[in-house]
Amino acid sequence: MSAQIISGKEVSAQVRECLKKDVEQMKLKDPNFSPGLVVLQVGDRDDSNLYISMKLKAAKEIGINATHMRLPKTATEDEVLHSIKEVNENSSVHGLIVQLPLDSVHKIDTEKVTNAVAPEKDVDGLTSINAGKLSRGDLGDCFIPCTPNGCMELIKQTGVSVAGKRAVVIGRSKIVGAPMHDLLLWSHATVTTCHSKTADLPGEVGKADILVVGIGKAEMVKGEWIKKGAVVIDCGINHIPDASRPSGKRVVGDVHYASAKEQAGFITPVPGGVGPMTVAMLMANTVLSAKRFLESHQPGKWNISYSNLNLQRPVPSDIVISRSCVPKPIDHLAKEVGLLSDEVELFGTTKAKVRLNIVQRLQAQPDGKYVVVTGITPTPLGEGKSTTTIGLVQAMGAHMKLNVFACVRQPSQGPTFGIKGGAAGGGYSQVIPMEEFNLHLTGDIHAITAANNLVAAAIDARMFHESTQSDKALYNRLVPLSGGERKFSPIQINRLKKLGIEKTDPSSLTEEEVTRFSRLDIDPSSVTWQRVLDTNDRFLRKITIGQSPTEKGYTREAQFDITVASEIMAVLALTTSLQDMRQRLAKMVVATSRSGQPITTEDLGVSGALTVLMKDAIKPNLMQTLEGNPVFVHAGPFANIAHGNSSILADKIALKLVGPEGYVVTEAGFGADIGMEKFFNIKCRYSGLRPHVVVLVATVRALKMHGGGPTVTAGMPLPKEYIDENLELLEKGCSNMKKQIENAQHFGVPVVVAVNAFKTDTEAELDLVCSVAKAAGAFDAVRCTHWAEGGAGAVALGQAVQRASEAPSSFKFLYDLELPIADKIRTIARKIYGADDIELLPEAQLKVELYTKQGFGNLPVCMAKTHLSLSHEADKKGVPTGFVLPIRDIRASTGAGFLFPLVGTMPTIPGLPTRPCFYDIDLDPETEQVNGLF
């Protein structure tokens, strides 16, 4: 009786159908996901091309995104290894096959190349790591080579149990024989491996209940060798002469099929047996790899380790504490929170940038809970919002075991070397390394400085050239001859379209169109764009530019701002994508023409170059807390004249990474009347995000000041009123906290008051603040000791935030964008500051009319006022009443997307004090440690 034929075509078709359903299920969970496969080929062998086309066809049928990466015959070993490294780091690829043989004119070590494939992407199962795991019996933790895997599937189809059977494998290659031996062995067969040197091969074959042949010799195994009823799997592919075929040859296996099928119980044909199964198993391994990837990279599924703090008393300086903790390698932290290797750009070992391709990967995932940290009206010393932000994150992560991310601003170097110090938090609630945090970080502020000053240079250069050239000369220089013809750049085409000129041939413009295109006709007195520097330099507050003889007398007054006051910084913080940033940078208005038209950076032709300078700065910076929690440090807009919040992009990415049960804690600059109001009315409008909780930071010290305590001056000892218990002074000052709670409630979000405790605060004082806060409508109020105790000192706060995030809320904006500009300003002044009304001074009234006429009237409002009082007068503490808020001017940040009314006078570049911080800062040349930094 002839053997039953085991059809590889039929079985592989069944396997492919199952795989197709698996891929469909993956796409149901994540529509953006597809298993990815790369087939890397060196050279152009016809047989390799045939095999690759079969693989690509099968992949397409199943739904696998397969790519054929072909390198030329001239490719060197290094070039092949480089290509493999690129694929290894590509998170959209889950399987990588190196098509053998490598058809190169250079000598290439095949073993080295195959072992260069990442084991988790080695769907051929050829790396030493996968082979080692297979030989050890770790079948669930490796990839099984495709041909042996296919053979096992074919044996399974016969219904014959492998366990306890005697199996013989002929051939010991790494691709078939050796892994086949291991598979059969771990399936509990008794296995003998035979080869060309085996004595009495027919006798060994005759003992086999299961025979697998992969020796590479045509029809070597004869039928009479085979045990009656055995399962015969023929892996051979050989060509023998056959005059009856048009090609003069035919394909046969390693087994003499005609005689073997009379002896065997089951047998595979050649072709049509093992061959189709090899391709099917390759696809199965690719789908398996994709499943493993999805399982190990589920958003919100963190496997994070935390660092233990070695608390010291008294609490050492910030920098001593920072150096006492060894940061985790930043690539390790990135992996812990679900970032992929190709989504992270390392800057040394303690900081990294996160690429924006992660936004696309995670877009279908639900967000976590969103918490904003703000404060009461502070003293000049600050009340610890940054410290509370970090302490809260450490508590919720390291102690409450929740997924939690901090998102904070990058500090300016002006305060770092000036008087204020850094913004990394303090005590045992810091971002580390604090030197990196407070200095250059990854160069974002330098990129903004360069971009901002490029605009400033472009403005003055354009005014100079327009004033010294005729229309024709100006046009010929703007559209120069190149290769005998003139051609508009894409950015110039944009300007033509803005002017309503639908032409692309420079020679076709009329004289009138040439003039309109060439002349921006900027009114020098209308230039609002200033140069910037990230240094406190008071002597740049008012300067004269253009004094060189080469500028031919075209001088004008100008000024410098500090870099973080640049509109480009505000754009960075509010942008949602690279494309959005390009559009925002293009919309920035820098001046007005003499005819009253707004002049933008796109008109200047510089917006594309700005985007190039900012292409890396847009990527959020990843750092960590002392206890090992992830922190995004990104953007640092001035909180006085800009919105004073870290970036939308950092918040959005963090909200995806923490998962629906996790938390993102972001900080708003200054008191709730400034940073929080701008967070809600500006940042939340552009992000579309809705916060769950407001954390309002209060201190006994600041509340005593608002109750009428003596002046608090940075660098001077605190008066005794702030050190001794004084409940009367404190209770009176709680009016400011109650007003800031009310301000948060205007937006419909629950408020948790965090009382940042100092060692001089008494129990009675802390209890009083908490009870007043709750009576004023706070969801909860808790004392915190995170500065001295790290996350352990903010666990009660974390628990209160967790409860508040589940409470009902009804978020709403304070005003409608369609309101007139003055009404939006009035709404903020009355509801948030407690003013009776506003007064628009003449310059401000003119700007209201100008911006309304120019189409900017529907932008949100970003108030620029002192942070030291709810009113416009810094010395008015508590809750001032009965005042009219004077608006002296209004300016437009049209790229960032807001108008900023100026309340009173404030410098946009600070000055250095008599004794700046830099007196204490130095570098140890031996250890390269920064000394004297806080």
Side-chain angles (χ1 to χ4, degrees):
M1 183 176 175
S2 292
Q4 289 186 43
I5 309 302
I6 315 171
S7 172
K9 290 181 180 178
E10 290 179 12
V11 179
S12 67
Q14 294 168 14
V15 171
R16 289 200 300 269
E17 196 57 39
C18 291
L19 294 174
K20 193 173 179 181
K21 290 176 182 174
D22 286 347
V23 172
E24 288 169 358
Q25 285 299 312
M26 290 185 210
K27 284 186 171 292
L28 282 176
K29 291 180 181 177
D30 185 351
N32 297 311
F33 183 79
S34 289
L37 174 67
V38 167
V39 183
L40 177 63
Q41 178 186 16
V42 178
D44 194 29
R45 284 174 56 125
D46 289 340
D47 55 349
S48 292
N49 291 334
L50 177 62
Y51 297 143
I52 290 169
S53 66
M54 290 166 56
K55 293 166 185 174
L56 297 180
K57 182 181 177 184
K60 185 176 181 182
E61 176 191 328
I62 292 165
I64 295 170
N65 182 23
T67 303
H68 183 189
M69 180 183 284
R70 192 198 302 268
L71 300 181
K73 290 185 72 166
T74 54
T76 63
E77 182 176 277
D78 284 345
E79 288 169 339
V80 175
L81 292 171
H82 177 74
S83 296
I84 290 172
K85 183 174 182 289
E86 284 188 335
V87 178
N88 284 343
E89 294 175 357
N90 186 342
S91 62
S92 66
V93 177
H94 311 102
L96 169 57
I97 308 162
V98 178
Q99 185 67 42
L100 301 177
L102 299 167
D103 182 27
S104 173
V105 297
H106 300 287
K107 184 179 179 181
I108 297 179
D109 184 339
T110 300
E111 183 81 4
K112 186 176 181 181
V113 165
T114 53
N115 274 318
V117 176
E120 67 273 15
K121 297 188 180 187
D122 173 31
V123 290
D124 257 340
L126 299 182
T127 62
S128 297
I129 289 176
N130 277 317
K133 287 181 176 181
L134 175 58
S135 68
R136 226 168 39 192
D138 297 337
L139 273 61
D141 189 33
C142 69
F143 285 112
I144 299 167
C146 302
T147 298
N149 206 7
C151 292
M152 290 300 293
E153 192 64 32
L154 291 172
I155 294 169
K156 191 188 299 181
Q157 290 294 314
T158 67
V160 173
S161 172
V162 176
K165 297 294 190 300
R166 186 179 290 274
V168 172
V169 178
I170 304 179
R172 53 184 172 181
S173 73
K174 295 176 186 176
I175 297 174
V176 181
M180 194 71 230
H181 171 279
D182 294 335
L183 275 176
L184 288 164
L185 182 68
W186 293 112
S187 296
H188 311 298
T190 301
V191 188
T192 301
T193 297
C194 299
H195 43 80
S196 58
K197 305 295 184 185
T198 299
D200 190 19
L201 184 58
E204 294 295 337
V205 171
K207 299 173 187 175
D209 302 309
I210 298 169
L211 176 65
V212 181
V213 189
I215 195 72
K217 294 184 179 180
E219 299 182 327
M220 185 190 78
V221 176
K222 311 303 180 187
E224 56 268 26
W225 296 4
I226 296 169
K227 182 178 180 179
K228 194 69 175 175
V231 176
V232 178
I233 307 295
D234 188 352
C235 303
I237 299 178
N238 308 285
H239 294 90
I240 63 172
D242 188 341
S244 67
R245 301 290 177 93
S247 63
K249 58 185 179 181
R250 63 186 171 93
V251 175
V252 297
D254 291 349
V255 177
H256 189 272
Y257 182 77
S259 60
K261 73 175 181 178
E262 299 303 321
Q263 282 288 104
F266 299 89
I267 192 168
T268 57
V270 177
V274 174
M277 289 304 298
T278 299
V279 176
M281 290 300 104
L282 175 62
M283 299 302 123
N285 277 351
T286 303
V287 172
L288 174 61
S289 178
K291 284 180 178 177
R292 287 174 177 170
F293 175 86
L294 280 179
E295 177 63 26
S296 63
H297 292 90
Q298 287 179 22
K301 185 179 178 181
W302 290 9
N303 182 21
I304 186 168
S305 60
Y306 294 106
S307 306
N308 294 320
L309 297 177
N310 180 21
L311 302 178
Q312 301 292 314
R313 295 292 181 272
V315 176
S317 68
D318 289 353
I319 199 161
V320 168
I321 293 172
S322 175
R323 287 180 182 160
S324 71
C325 295
V326 179
K328 291 182 283 190
I330 201 67
D331 56 339
H332 179 69
L333 175 64
K335 188 175 181 181
E336 287 182 329
V337 301
L339 288 160
L340 308 179
S341 59
D342 63 334
E343 293 168 346
V344 177
E345 296 175 358
L346 301 179
F347 278 70
T349 60
T350 58
K351 55 189 186 291
K353 277 197 166 291
V354 175
R355 295 176 181 166
L356 301 191
N357 57 342
I358 189 175
V359 176
Q360 175 72 17
R361 175 170 73 88
L362 299 180
Q363 66 177 358
Q365 305 303 327
D367 288 347
K369 304 289 178 59
Y370 198 27
V371 180
V372 60
V373 177
T374 185
I376 61 171
T377 305
T379 68
L381 307 177
E383 308 319 305
K385 285 194 313 301
S386 299
T387 306
T388 301
T389 298
I390 302 306
L392 174 58
V393 166
Q394 291 182 160
M396 298 184 83
H399 301 270
M400 296 170 62
K401 306 307 179 187
L402 298 167
N403 290 353
V404 60
F405 233 110
C407 291
V408 298
R409 288 181 297 166
Q410 179 182 351
S412 163
Q413 285 179 199
T416 297
F417 291 109
I419 192 168
K420 183 185 174 189
Y428 286 102
S429 294
Q430 294 186 55
V431 181
I432 55 171
M434 61 99 76
E435 305 101 303
E436 302 284 346
F437 181 96
N438 285 304
L439 296 174
H440 302 278
L441 199 57
T442 57
D444 295 350
I445 291 180
H446 301 313
I448 292 164
T449 304
N452 184 100
N453 292 343
L454 180 62
V455 176
I459 294 167
D460 288 303
R462 186 60 173 264
M463 288 194 295
F464 172 78
H465 291 306
E466 286 190 26
S467 64
T468 56
Q469 298 178 46
S470 67
D471 290 358
K472 185 176 180 181
L474 187 62
Y475 183 70
N476 286 344
R477 286 181 170 88
L478 285 170
V479 193
L481 274 172
S482 178
E485 63 174 345
R486 299 185 190 278
K487 190 177 180 181
F488 291 124
S489 71
I491 209 165
Q492 289 177 323
I493 295 287
N494 291 345
R495 171 152 173 78
L496 288 167
K497 288 179 179 177
K498 179 180 176 180
L499 295 171
I501 302 171
E502 296 293 331
K503 296 178 180 178
T504 57
D505 180 2
S507 64
S508 66
L509 269 63
T510 65
E511 285 187 15
E512 185 265 343
E513 288 170 339
V514 164
T515 300
R516 288 173 59 211
F517 170 79
S518 302
R519 294 203 175 273
L520 300 179
D521 199 26
I522 294 171
D523 179 355
S525 67
S526 75
V527 174
T528 55
W529 195 268
Q530 311 299 346
R531 287 163 172 82
V532 298
L533 188 71
D534 197 38
T535 302
N536 291 359
D537 191 343
R538 66 179 67 247
F539 284 90
L540 294 177
R541 289 171 179 170
K542 185 71 72 175
I543 59 172
T544 303
I545 60 173
Q547 291 193 338
S548 168
T550 55
E551 273 49 77
K552 303 178 182 179
Y554 289 98
T555 63
R556 68 178 180 90
E557 281 195 346
Q559 69 182 58
F560 270 78
D561 293 337
I562 197 161
T563 299
V564 290
S566 169
E567 183 177 352
I568 296 176
M569 175 63 90
V571 165
L572 176 66
L574 290 173
T575 194
T576 54
S577 67
L578 196 57
Q579 181 180 10
D580 177 63
M581 184 174 74
R582 171 68 176 81
Q583 292 168 351
R584 286 176 179 272
L585 292 173
K587 289 191 293 187
M588 294 189 302
V589 172
V590 300
T592 303
S593 71
R594 287 185 172 88
S595 63
Q597 296 302 308
I599 304 299
T600 67
T601 53
E602 185 88 341
D603 294 323
L604 282 167
V606 74
S607 50
L610 300 184
T611 311
V612 170
L613 286 171
M614 292 294 292
K615 71 179 178 65
D616 291 320
I618 194 175
K619 303 166 189 170
N621 304 296
L622 179 67
M623 295 187 76
Q624 63 191 285
T625 71
L626 284 166
E627 297 190 48
N629 309 81
V631 181
F632 274 141
V633 185
H634 198 216
F638 230 34
N640 274 356
I641 63 171
H643 63 288
N645 283 264
S646 61
S647 78
I648 286 173
L649 274 169
D651 288 2
K652 283 194 163 188
I653 293 169
L655 283 164
K656 296 296 184 187
L657 287 169
V658 297
E661 302 303 316
Y663 291 79
V664 170
V665 182
T666 191
E667 178 194 351
F670 293 143
D673 55 309
I674 299 182
M676 183 198 69
E677 181 271 312
K678 295 173 181 180
F679 172 82
F680 287 133
N681 282 321
I682 299 174
K683 185 175 180 181
C684 288
R685 279 190 204 271
Y686 286 121
S687 70
L689 300 172
R690 298 294 176 259
H692 294 80
V693 186
V694 170
V695 173
L696 183 74
V697 179
T699 62
V700 169
R701 175 181 71 191
L703 292 173
K704 285 181 176 178
M705 179 192 70
H706 287 296
T711 300
V712 175
T713 305
M716 299 293 290
L718 282 172
K720 67 180 181 62
E721 286 84 350
Y722 298 104
I723 298 168
D724 299 337
E725 184 177 287
N726 190 329
L727 297 178
E728 182 181 353
L729 193 65
L730 176 61
E731 187 166 17
K732 187 179 177 185
C734 282
S735 60
N736 184 273
M737 177 180 67
K738 290 191 282 186
K739 174 57 179 164
Q740 298 289 30
I741 292 170
E742 175 192 310
N743 285 343
Q745 290 172 330
H746 281 310
F747 298 92
V749 181
V751 182
V752 174
V753 173
V755 186
N756 187 16
F758 289 67
K759 63 182 179 181
T760 54
D761 300 337
T762 68
E763 291 292 316
E765 288 175 330
L766 294 169
D767 287 343
L768 175 62
V769 177
C770 289
S771 62
V772 171
K774 291 175 188 176
F779 178 88
D780 203 351
V782 293
R783 63 180 74 178
C784 312
T785 53
H786 45 274
W787 179 80
E789 298 178 14
V795 170
L797 176 61
Q799 292 167 340
V801 166
Q802 189 176 26
R803 292 194 304 273
S805 71
E806 304 296 337
S809 63
S810 53
F811 177 75
K812 55 186 178 293
F813 296 117
L814 194 67
Y815 53 80
D816 192 308
L817 289 181
E818 301 307 315
L819 283 175
I821 295 171
D823 287 351
K824 285 182 279 198
I825 299 171
R826 185 174 289 109
T827 299
I828 295 171
R830 285 177 170 171
K831 290 191 175 181
I832 302 298
Y833 308 152
D836 288 348
D837 203 353
I838 63 169
E839 178 189 7
L840 292 178
L841 299 179
E843 185 65 28
Q845 186 60 53
L846 287 173
K847 291 293 180 64
V848 166
E849 294 166 6
L850 174 66
Y851 294 144
T852 303
K853 179 183 175 183
Q854 291 179 338
F856 304 136
N858 63 347
L859 292 176
V861 167
C862 185
M863 301 292 286
K865 80 167 187 72
T866 178
H867 62 290
L868 296 174
S869 171
L870 282 164
S871 75
H872 57 289
E873 297 177 274
D875 59 345
K876 296 288 191 279
K877 305 302 180 183
V879 183
T881 57
F883 65 94
V884 174
L885 194 74
I887 310 298
R888 69 175 178 88
D889 195 3
I890 302 174
R891 294 179 187 167
S893 289
T894 52
F898 54 73
L899 303 177
F900 59 100
L902 299 175
V903 183
T905 303
M906 64 188 69
T908 52
I909 183 167
L912 289 172
T914 305
R915 191 193 187 283
C917 296
F918 61 63
Y919 273 80
D920 302 307
I921 298 171
D922 207 340
L923 186 74
D924 185 320
E926 291 187 10
T927 64
E928 296 187 13
Q929 280 194 339
V930 176
N931 295 324
L933 197 62
F934 326 122

